Amino acid sequence: MTFAGERAAARRRLVVGGIATALVASGLAACSPEPPTPDSATQALAAALASGDFGEAPFAGGAVDETEATAARTAAFEGLAPWEPQVKVVSTTIDEKDEDLATVTFGYTWDVDESDADWTYETSAKLARDDEDLWRATWSPSLLAPDLVAGEVLTVTRARAERANVLGAGGAVIVEPRTVHRLGIDKTRVAAPEQDAAARAFAAALSIDAEAYAGKVAAAGERAFVEAITVRHGDLAYDVAALAAMPGVNDVTDQLPLAPTRQFARPILGTVGPATAEIIEKSDGAVSDGDLTGLSGLQRQYDAQLRGLPGLTITAAQPDGTAPRQLYAVEPTPGTPLTTTIDVGLQEAAEHVISEVAPASAVVALRPSTGDVLAAASGVGGEGMSTATLGQFAPGSTFKVVTALALLRSGMTADSDTTCPDTVSVDGRSFTNFPEYPTDKLGTIPLRTAFANSCNTAFISARDAANQDALIDAAGSLGLDPHASLGFAAFLGDVPGDSDGTDHAASMIGQGRVLASPLGMATVAASVAHGATVVPRLVVPAEGAATPSPTADETEPSDEATDAPRPVVPLTADEAATLQQLMRGVVTEGGATFLLDVPGDEVAAKTGTAQFGEAGNLQNHVWMIAIQGDLAVAVFVDVGEYGSTTAGPLLEEFLRAAQG
């Protein structure tokens, strides 16, 4: 019999011999303290098993058990990092024959993936109450996992899930697995003394940093394959066969999720590749070394949806892998496709239109009736940035659509007279029209003529009829919401709320501190066409899926919106009809008559030029926006001549392509 058992037996003998006398004499038994329950001990042990800190664990063996438990838990669970279990007391049972003995059952829960299913199991421990009325347990490895014995460790093996495709309008497949060639030096294919020369020669052929690549090859293991570049199959920019024939080079054929071409909506869709150390660290175990993950764009933002859930097998075995026992297994769950609104044909047309444009540029097309983003192309001058959706530029005279709405709300009509002088001075600053402004459209002219010919001085002269708040409200009515959350990384536009004087005058013509993206100005055009405020939509949420927020490095508009959110003033059908007439006048009598013969529905448009830079070296952002049927388009070039002469031909080319 254990010490605890002997103590219990002595207590029972005492009860038999003297309890009746005690009760009769004084009734003291009713005041005797109840023996302590094991609850505090079991809770402390559960906390220790969960955290790995056994300093307060109620072990009978004291420091010896504490040391053994700490070492055993560290070794056993190391292969499951960064996961940590939750451990709770499921039940505690006092022995029916000996009240100084108890059995506790612990419930383990491991959150091993992003699904609602967890790995759960139970373990148990024996406790005994000592002569100090303290409950204590004896350490055993089986407290960590079912039937775990000394020396056994847990390991997890992952099976990669099939990454889902990215789809476009009508279910068209945009991103799917495509064949690629991983090219690099294979150190088993070239003798050690020749490896440095082989690496440098290969780097020179690829026009990459030879010193850096040779260093990577030298630092790799003696049988390593050191990848230098991944080339999509059929990429005419690389002669894969010739590169693979170079000394020491190996061509490893693989598949990666890729769009139809390297350029196709790349800044928006993003890329996929091996998970970085940062991504792995932030994933809480959802991503491990060697996994493919989204590295940027929608592929990164919706990575959890696209990559699915890996298959998992958790095994207990000796450290050398012998005597394995499977404790848990789950099959891979394929990813869920990401559906976008991108029209493949229109996106390709937009990419083609700006393929030869050197400065940063963009073409954005929306369907006004739905807000669907049909195309969002960014030119190579943006150096990988999504100029189409994240660019922040002064919109110039395309913003006069917004200003015109504010003036209409002040009581003006399309036929109201405005004053269009050569120059107008505001607080000592002189504003002029663009150099080629027609002289026969100066003087007192109706608003429709001032709009069609883009008279800066007329709009600035009317500044008292539309204060800054009126401009902000009008911008919001046309979709320029600086606080919009669209389900993808985007900036629409921002009109500062603290402008007056010359800054307000500049705002009237879309300059000063007014900012917009090509997506934002396409939204303005779409709202005019639709007759109500349009909210652009690029991503169609998967059924039952939450919409993730863009990560900080993907949104990053350079400046925060200047004002808190304010209610949107609805755009009325009458207001939109007048704006449509004004924009049509730009085509019939203003600066966009070249669009008169575009096939299909009538085109309405607005040109835009915004100066920027230092005095004496001013350059122009150039814009055009247009609506045609159920299509709204914005074209932007960072540096150009005028909206009509630089952006105009690009817009016409796109509209003609859209007509087929």
Side-chain angles (χ1 to χ4, degrees):
M1 182 179 292
T2 65
F3 175 81
E6 292 172 351
R7 183 169 175 272
R11 184 182 295 119
R12 285 193 294 271
R13 288 194 295 272
L14 177 62
V15 169
V16 171
I19 191 68
T21 302
L23 287 172
V24 171
S26 63
L28 292 177
C31 300
S32 298
E34 289 290 328
T37 68
D39 290 351
S40 61
T42 58
Q43 294 294 340
L45 186 52
L49 292 170
S51 68
D53 181 0
F54 291 93
E56 301 297 325
F59 285 136
V64 174
D65 278 356
E66 177 187 338
T67 300
E68 183 179 350
T70 301
R73 186 189 185 281
T74 299
F77 291 167
E78 185 177 12
L80 302 184
W83 301 332
E84 289 289 345
Q86 294 180 350
V87 184
K88 67 178 182 178
V89 176
V90 176
S91 64
T92 303
T93 304
I94 304 296
D95 193 304
E96 292 182 357
K97 297 181 179 180
D98 190 340
E99 62 184 6
D100 291 327
L101 299 178
T103 300
V104 58
T105 299
F106 296 110
Y108 277 75
T109 300
W110 294 81
D111 186 4
V112 296
D113 59 30
E114 294 169 313
S115 73
D116 293 333
D118 297 319
W119 176 34
T120 62
Y121 58 82
E122 293 182 349
T123 66
S124 62
K126 298 290 187 181
L127 290 89
R129 187 166 54 191
D130 63 18
D131 58 352
E132 296 179 353
D133 266 353
L134 298 177
W135 289 90
R136 300 192 181 277
T138 301
W139 165 251
S140 169
S142 62
L143 280 169
L144 299 174
D147 303 319
L148 199 73
V149 299
E152 281 190 318
V153 297
L154 306 184
T155 57
V156 57
T157 303
R158 287 173 167 82
R160 184 186 298 173
E162 180 181 352
R163 191 174 183 87
N165 296 334
V166 178
L167 309 178
V173 176
I174 294 178
V175 178
E176 63 181 336
R178 302 178 195 269
T179 301
V180 297
H181 301 272
R182 298 185 181 277
L183 299 169
I185 294 294
D186 186 336
K187 297 178 75 169
T188 67
R189 293 190 170 201
V190 59
E194 302 167 5
Q195 289 171 359
D196 182 75
R200 293 176 183 277
F202 186 49
L206 295 173
S207 299
I208 63 175
D209 188 327
E211 189 70 28
Y213 182 64
K216 288 178 62 177
V217 171
E222 61 181 16
R223 301 182 62 81
F225 168 70
V226 185
E227 184 178 327
I229 193 171
T230 299
V231 178
R232 71 167 59 220
H233 184 70
D235 189 337
L236 299 179
Y238 298 92
D239 187 339
V240 172
L243 291 170
M246 295 181 68
V249 175
N250 194 3
D251 172 10
V252 178
T253 302
D254 198 356
Q255 287 200 323
L256 279 179
L258 296 173
T261 66
R262 180 177 178 82
Q263 295 78 24
F264 190 98
R266 184 182 179 93
I268 292 175
L269 296 176
T271 59
V272 177
T276 64
E278 181 182 10
I279 289 174
I280 294 170
E281 182 180 355
K282 290 182 177 180
S283 74
D284 293 328
V287 178
S288 61
D289 190 26
D291 284 354
L292 282 180
T293 64
L295 301 178
S296 60
L298 295 180
Q299 290 282 4
R300 180 79 192 106
Q301 184 181 346
Y302 290 86
D303 183 61
Q305 173 182 328
L306 288 163
R307 73 169 183 266
L309 299 173
L312 301 173
T313 301
I314 298 175
T315 304
Q318 291 298 319
D320 60 1
T322 58
R325 295 183 296 111
Q326 181 176 300
L327 301 182
Y328 178 77
V330 62
E331 293 296 315
T333 301
T336 300
L338 178 66
T339 300
T340 74
T341 60
I342 294 175
D343 181 293
V344 173
L346 289 180
Q347 180 70 28
E348 290 176 339
E351 304 273 2
H352 177 73
V353 163
I354 55 176
S355 60
E356 302 298 325
V357 178
S361 58
V363 175
V364 177
L366 270 64
R367 179 176 288 121
S369 60
T370 62
D372 288 354
V373 179
L374 304 177
S378 299
V380 295
E383 298 180 345
M385 174 187 171
S386 182
T387 306
T389 59
L390 289 173
Q392 297 187 57
F393 308 96
S397 291
T398 58
F399 190 75
K400 287 174 183 169
V401 178
V402 174
T403 308
L405 176 58
L407 293 175
L408 293 175
R409 288 175 172 175
S410 76
M412 294 180 67
T413 69
D415 294 317
S416 294
D417 283 342
T418 65
T419 302
C420 179
D422 278 325
T423 64
V424 62
S425 179
V426 180
D427 294 342
R429 177 181 171 185
S430 181
F431 292 88
T432 63
N433 297 312
F434 68 95
E436 279 76 27
Y437 185 84
T439 56
D440 63 339
K441 299 298 188 287
L442 293 170
T444 301
I445 58 175
L447 178 61
R448 67 172 69 253
T449 302
F451 187 94
N453 293 276
S454 206
C455 179
N456 289 339
T457 58
F459 279 83
I460 292 173
S461 295
R463 65 190 180 280
D464 290 340
N467 63 21
Q468 202 71 7
D469 280 342
L471 291 182
I472 294 171
D473 287 340
S477 299
L478 293 169
L480 286 184
D481 179 0
H483 305 280
S485 179
L486 304 177
F488 63 100
F491 169 82
L492 294 178
D494 186 28
V495 180
D498 58 348
S499 293
D500 55 19
T502 59
D503 201 35
H504 174 58
S507 295
M508 294 289 288
I509 57 173
Q511 300 200 50
R513 292 184 290 143
V514 175
L515 294 173
S517 68
L519 174 66
M521 293 315 299
T523 302
V524 168
S527 297
V528 172
H530 183 48
T533 306
V534 168
V535 177
R537 181 180 78 149
L538 176 64
V539 175
V540 181
E543 186 175 349
T547 300
S549 298
T551 56
D553 59 335
E554 289 170 336
T555 55
E556 299 282 8
S558 60
D559 297 304
E560 301 223 349
T562 55
D563 287 310
R566 55 199 289 167
V568 172
V569 179
L571 177 68
T572 69
D574 287 345
E575 290 170 342
T578 302
L579 293 176
Q580 291 168 15
Q581 294 171 14
L582 292 177
M583 291 179 67
R584 178 59 180 168
V586 177
V587 177
T588 58
E589 62 175 286
T593 54
F594 56 89
L595 297 176
L596 276 170
D597 62 350
V598 171
D601 294 330
E602 288 185 350
V603 179
K606 184 67 191 80
T607 58
T609 303
Q611 291 185 322
F612 70 98
E614 299 294 330
N617 188 32
L618 292 174
Q619 296 178 297
N620 292 334
H621 297 314
V622 294
W623 298 79
M624 275 204 74
I625 59 174
I627 52 178
Q628 184 181 30
D630 200 16
L631 185 68
V633 184
V635 176
F636 167 79
V637 180
D638 187 27
V639 179
E641 186 183 31
Y642 301 116
S644 59
T645 57
T646 300
L650 303 177
L651 172 65
E652 180 180 3
E653 182 183 350
F654 179 77
L655 290 176
R656 291 183 181 277
Q659 293 299 321

